[in-house]
């Protein structure tokens, strides 16, 4: 059984060379109590590389490693994994609609999601709504893991037409092969 578990984090994909990563730990074996960790103050919109290591006796074992991209923190607030399926989920904050250039008030908003950078051409995206033009939060479960997704908040101004209030992209987490059992050889 591991006596310590550490998480190492780097902005550089260089095999965790000395001096290029920071570590957090030691954590207890999840069986003993520690099962999650929130790393605060990460840079938004950056790719981070991580590895999870366990100390058994006097030997270190790699439990897993991967990469993730932090969200923009404006519209995309959090990206999660459901490793039992495996799928990802994303938490959005849909901003309040502003008046159009002609002063028209918004009647509704929709949140659109696509795997294609196609300008949201018909048939290339899914949408959810109508959402309140005064703004809201929305959790979208069941999205594909380890994929670039494009989003937009699309606002309806009635006779003045539709306008994208916000748009961007994010990479969903790779939810495959996450360590759930950290039994290691002794």
């Amino acid at each position: 059984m591991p006596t310590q578990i550490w998480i190492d984090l780097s902005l550089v994909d260089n095999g965790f060379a000395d001096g290029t990563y920071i570590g957090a730990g030691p954590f207890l074996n999840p069986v003993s109590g520690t099962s999650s960790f929130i790393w605060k103050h990460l840079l938004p919109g950056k790719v981070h590389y991580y590895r999870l290591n366990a100390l058994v006796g006097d030997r270190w074992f790699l439990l897993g490693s991967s990469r993730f991209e932090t969200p923009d923190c404006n519209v995309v607030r959090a990206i999660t994994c459901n490793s039992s399926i495996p799928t990802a989920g994303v938490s959005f904050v849909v901003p309040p609609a502003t008046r159009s250039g002609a002063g028209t008030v918004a009647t509704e908003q929709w949140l659109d999601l696509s795997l294609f950078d196609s300008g949201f051409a018909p048939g290339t995206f899914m949408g959810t709504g109508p959402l309140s033009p005064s703004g809201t939060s929305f959790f979208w479960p069941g999205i594909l893991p380890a994929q670039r997704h494009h989003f937009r908040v699309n606002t309806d101004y009635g006779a003045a037409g539709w306008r994208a209030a916000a748009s961007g992209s994010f990479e969903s987490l790779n939810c495959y092969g996450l360590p759930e059992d950290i039994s290691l050889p002794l």
Side-chain angles (χ1 to χ4, degrees):
M1 172 154 320
T3 55
Q4 293 184 26
I5 297 174
W6 284 77
I7 302 170
D8 296 329
L9 190 65
S10 179
L11 291 171
V12 182
D13 185 14
N14 65 2
F16 296 91
D18 288 343
T20 65
Y21 65 92
I22 55 176
F27 299 100
L28 299 174
N29 182 320
V31 174
S32 303
T34 304
S35 61
S36 66
F37 172 71
I38 296 173
W39 203 310
K40 296 180 180 181
H41 309 294
L42 298 178
L43 298 171
K46 298 287 185 187
V47 174
H48 293 72
Y49 301 89
Y50 73 89
R51 69 179 175 188
L52 191 60
N53 296 300
L55 181 62
V56 178
D58 61 353
R59 293 183 54 204
W60 285 98
F61 292 88
L62 178 67
L63 297 176
S65 64
S66 192
R67 61 183 285 273
F68 64 91
E69 180 182 283
T70 49
D72 67 10
C73 300
N74 294 318
V75 176
V76 178
R77 290 292 175 95
I79 304 169
T80 60
C81 276
N82 181 346
S83 59
S84 63
I85 297 178
T87 61
V90 62
S91 294
F92 292 95
V93 173
V94 178
T98 58
R99 291 185 179 268
S100 73
T104 307
V105 176
T107 59
E108 65 185 61
Q109 295 193 103
W110 284 71
L111 180 59
D112 298 330
L113 194 60
S114 177
L115 292 172
F116 309 101
D117 188 9
S118 64
F120 294 92
T124 65
F125 66 94
M126 297 178 2
T128 188
L131 303 172
S132 170
S134 62
T136 189
S137 335
F138 184 79
F139 180 72
W140 199 315
I143 66 171
L144 291 174
Q147 296 290 318
R148 170 77 43 199
H149 291 75
H150 302 271
F151 69 88
R152 75 173 171 188
V153 176
N154 210 12
T155 306
D156 184 7
Y157 290 100
W162 289 86
R163 295 211 173 74
S167 63
S169 70
F170 63 92
E171 185 176 318
S172 55
L173 294 173
N174 182 351
C175 301
Y176 297 104
L178 296 177
E180 292 183 26
D181 176 11
I182 62 165
S183 300
L184 298 170
L186 296 177

